[in-house]
Amino acid sequence: MTDYRTEKDALGEIQVPATALWGAATQRAIENFPVSGRRFPHAFIAMLARIKGAAAVVNGELGLLEAGKAQAIAQAAASVVAGEHDDQFPIDIFQTGSGTSTNMNANEVIASLANRELGGTLGTWNPVHPNDDVNLGQSSNDVIPSALHLTAAAEINTNLLPALTELHRALGEKALAFDHIFKTGRTHLMDAMPIRLGQEFGGWARQVERGSERIRRTLPVLFELALGGTAVGTGFGSDAEFAPRVCEILAFETELAFVPSINPFEALQSHSPCVEMSGALTATASSLARIADDVRLLASGPRLGFSELKLPALQPGSSIMPGKVNPVIPEMVVQVATQVMGNDTAVKIGALGGHLELNTQVPVIAANLLDSIHILGNAASLLAERCIADIEADEDRCQESIDMSLALVTALVPQIGYARAAEIAKKAADTEQTIRSAAQGVLPDDELDELLDPANLTSPNGRKTS
């Protein structure tokens, strides 16, 4: 049976679990928003706590907060950053549109920890008060967007970009390893001119590289923080030195170039940087889905599909068909891309939220943007590690596709013309011959050999490369 303590706020009394580090504001949010069971991830809570810790240090240096309080708040915030109190952040993502509930959750938990350090009693908010001390110089309206930018930028830099680099490397290695393997290309899913399997992988590698480049170019838009804008953008209640000095601490801790927003009014009203980054993530997700789809198509079979690639067998693929193995990692990647695209829609609509001086869909923007970063990074790593790294080529199958391709006749067009080449292609199709066989006698054998050599057909200007 849970014991409770009674707390009082401007709305009256409320029962709070006796051992909870949160207080009345958090408890009201718990009761008001039992919506999804989804909570902000630890990474977001940690960055929110980093802001609180840095704010306490700066407010102490500015003489706005007594030194003992400042130190206790900073230490308490550090313990939240370390993940020691994640269970004390129970509020649903779908809450008040400014994220005030989560901001107050952090204020109350950090105040409780600081008071415990200073000998205070849980729930009395003395000597450290959640609003007057932990939230000093801040508002939910500038803190929550700042925590979002901090979290998104750090997660991209620490997790997503390295994962994409890993995937790019894996694809590049296969591009080199498969460069000697010739196969038919396909356009409109129909046979086309020959390519090297390595060239196909190289194209995929470049798609991933461009995704990384796109995200890197976009990353700096997240470096401006709304801190210092407080409630409506005027900065009322915050010292002029507060935001620059807090941002300096946060930049040092994260090794990213965070600075106060050029215009705090814009930072509170508009979340176009999040829309911009979500767009970059969506474009990258689209590339990963395209690669994954092509991989599973080329691995289809194993006997009656393309069967040019052999994927690592990771788990049984059917509860009823023995021996069936499915392309589970590519399928996962496509699903992740689908979710990222859905998240992008939520971010875009969220950026339209609110009126005048404040956006009131910040929590939903945060939840979806951070989810996209997290799952896209995991998908890229798994695609690299559990699929691309161990993928194999069926060289015989690839060679067979070259031998039987009718598109090879294109190589004869410069010598015999389009119309006659079309006749040869039709003859080969009707008689189930190869192009080489159907063209017998049209040109000297040695010239046919040269013209139909896939090494020439897959090299720049039709010249073999060493």
Side-chain angles (χ1 to χ4, degrees):
M1 187 174 183
T2 303
D3 293 327
Y4 291 90
R5 65 178 189 265
T6 301
E7 290 205 19
K8 186 176 181 180
D9 61 9
L11 298 181
E13 293 184 346
I14 189 169
Q15 298 296 106
V16 178
T19 60
L21 298 178
W22 66 75
T26 302
Q27 187 62 39
R28 292 192 187 281
I30 293 170
E31 295 176 9
N32 286 334
F33 307 118
V35 181
S36 68
R38 295 172 59 192
R39 304 177 183 181
F40 281 109
H42 166 73
F44 181 86
I45 297 301
M47 282 302 182
L48 182 55
R50 282 189 186 277
I51 293 173
K52 301 298 178 182
V57 169
V58 170
N59 283 325
E61 293 171 348
L62 293 173
L64 303 174
L65 192 62
E66 189 268 323
K69 287 185 181 181
Q71 182 178 5
I73 291 170
Q75 289 176 347
S79 70
V80 173
V81 172
E84 297 175 14
H85 308 288
D86 283 354
D87 62 333
Q88 298 296 310
F89 292 87
I91 298 176
D92 203 278
I93 284 169
F94 299 98
Q95 54 171 282
T96 177
S98 59
T100 298
S101 298
T102 293
N103 183 42
M104 280 306 303
N105 190 179
N107 290 334
E108 290 175 340
V109 168
I110 291 170
S112 291
L113 293 169
N115 283 327
R116 189 164 68 187
E117 179 68 21
L118 296 174
T121 302
L122 192 63
T124 61
W125 312 118
N126 184 47
V128 176
H129 193 277
N131 299 79
D132 298 336
D133 299 317
V134 182
N135 200 59
L136 181 60
Q138 308 150 59
S139 165
S140 302
N141 299 349
D142 63 355
V143 166
I144 295 298
S146 297
L148 169 54
H149 280 217
L150 284 161
T151 310
E155 290 296 297
I156 288 168
N157 191 59
T158 303
N159 298 321
L160 176 56
L161 287 174
L164 292 172
T165 298
E166 177 187 10
L167 178 57
H168 175 254
R169 183 186 304 114
L171 289 166
E173 289 173 353
K174 291 300 179 181
L176 291 174
F178 295 157
D179 188 59
H180 67 286
I181 301 173
F182 301 103
K183 52 163 285 184
T184 191
R186 297 179 180 88
T187 59
H188 303 272
L189 281 180
M190 305 301 287
D191 301 342
M193 291 292 287
I195 62 171
R196 299 170 190 259
L197 184 58
Q199 292 171 328
E200 202 155 36
F201 273 80
W204 296 339
R206 178 57 179 152
Q207 287 189 57
V208 175
E209 185 177 40
R210 293 195 69 168
S212 294
E213 291 171 352
R214 189 178 295 112
I215 292 169
R216 289 183 193 278
R217 286 196 305 269
T218 308
L219 187 59
V221 304
L222 297 174
F223 291 164
E224 286 191 28
L225 303 184
L227 285 174
T230 63
V232 292
T234 61
F236 179 81
S238 181
D239 189 278
E241 290 295 312
F242 175 82
R245 292 171 68 165
V246 170
C247 286
E248 185 177 349
I249 292 173
L250 295 171
F252 175 79
E253 291 179 350
T254 61
E255 299 182 353
L256 294 170
F258 292 109
V259 294
S261 173
I262 293 173
N263 188 310
F265 293 93
E266 182 273 340
L268 270 61
Q269 296 166 7
S270 167
H271 291 283
S272 59
C274 295
V275 174
E276 191 172 351
M277 179 53 75
S278 184
L281 298 176
T282 300
T284 303
S286 177
S287 294
L288 263 61
R290 174 61 195 280
I291 293 166
D293 258 338
D294 281 353
V295 165
R296 64 176 177 172
L297 183 62
L298 293 178
S300 61
R303 293 185 175 180
L304 302 178
F306 286 119
S307 307
E308 294 177 1
L309 296 178
K310 299 177 182 178
L311 305 188
L314 299 180
Q315 62 188 60
S318 174
S319 61
I320 190 172
M321 292 177 281
K324 191 170 187 288
V325 179
N326 294 334
V328 292
I329 297 298
E331 288 175 356
M332 172 275 295
V333 172
V334 173
Q335 292 177 80
V336 165
T338 300
Q339 184 63 59
V340 169
M341 293 173 191
N343 289 347
D344 181 57
T345 298
V347 170
K348 289 174 179 175
I349 295 173
L352 299 173
H355 302 89
L356 305 176
E357 275 61 64
L358 186 66
N359 181 292
T360 53
Q361 291 201 50
V362 182
V364 78
I365 294 172
N368 285 279
L369 182 63
L370 296 180
D371 183 56
S372 290
I373 294 166
H374 177 68
I375 63 176
L376 193 58
N378 287 345
S381 285
L382 290 168
L383 182 59
E385 296 170 8
R386 301 190 67 79
C387 182
I388 302 301
D390 295 322
I391 214 166
E392 297 178 1
D394 188 327
E395 296 192 36
D396 292 338
R397 184 73 168 182
C398 289
Q399 184 59 49
E400 180 185 343
S401 76
I402 287 269
D403 294 340
M404 296 305 297
S405 174
L406 298 179
L408 276 177
V409 79
T410 308
L412 307 182
V413 171
Q415 302 299 321
I416 65 175
Y418 188 96
R420 194 170 183 192
E423 292 174 1
I424 293 172
K426 186 175 186 307
K427 175 184 175 182
D430 291 344
T431 59
E432 298 186 359
Q433 296 182 72
T434 65
I435 292 296
R436 177 69 176 77
S437 177
Q440 195 77 33
V442 174
L443 291 169
D445 287 352
D446 58 345
E447 190 172 353
L448 277 178
D449 290 341
E450 182 72 13
L451 291 172
L452 298 177
D453 187 343
N456 287 333
L457 297 175
T458 58
S459 300
N461 300 316
R463 301 291 184 182
K464 290 183 182 178
T465 56
S466 57

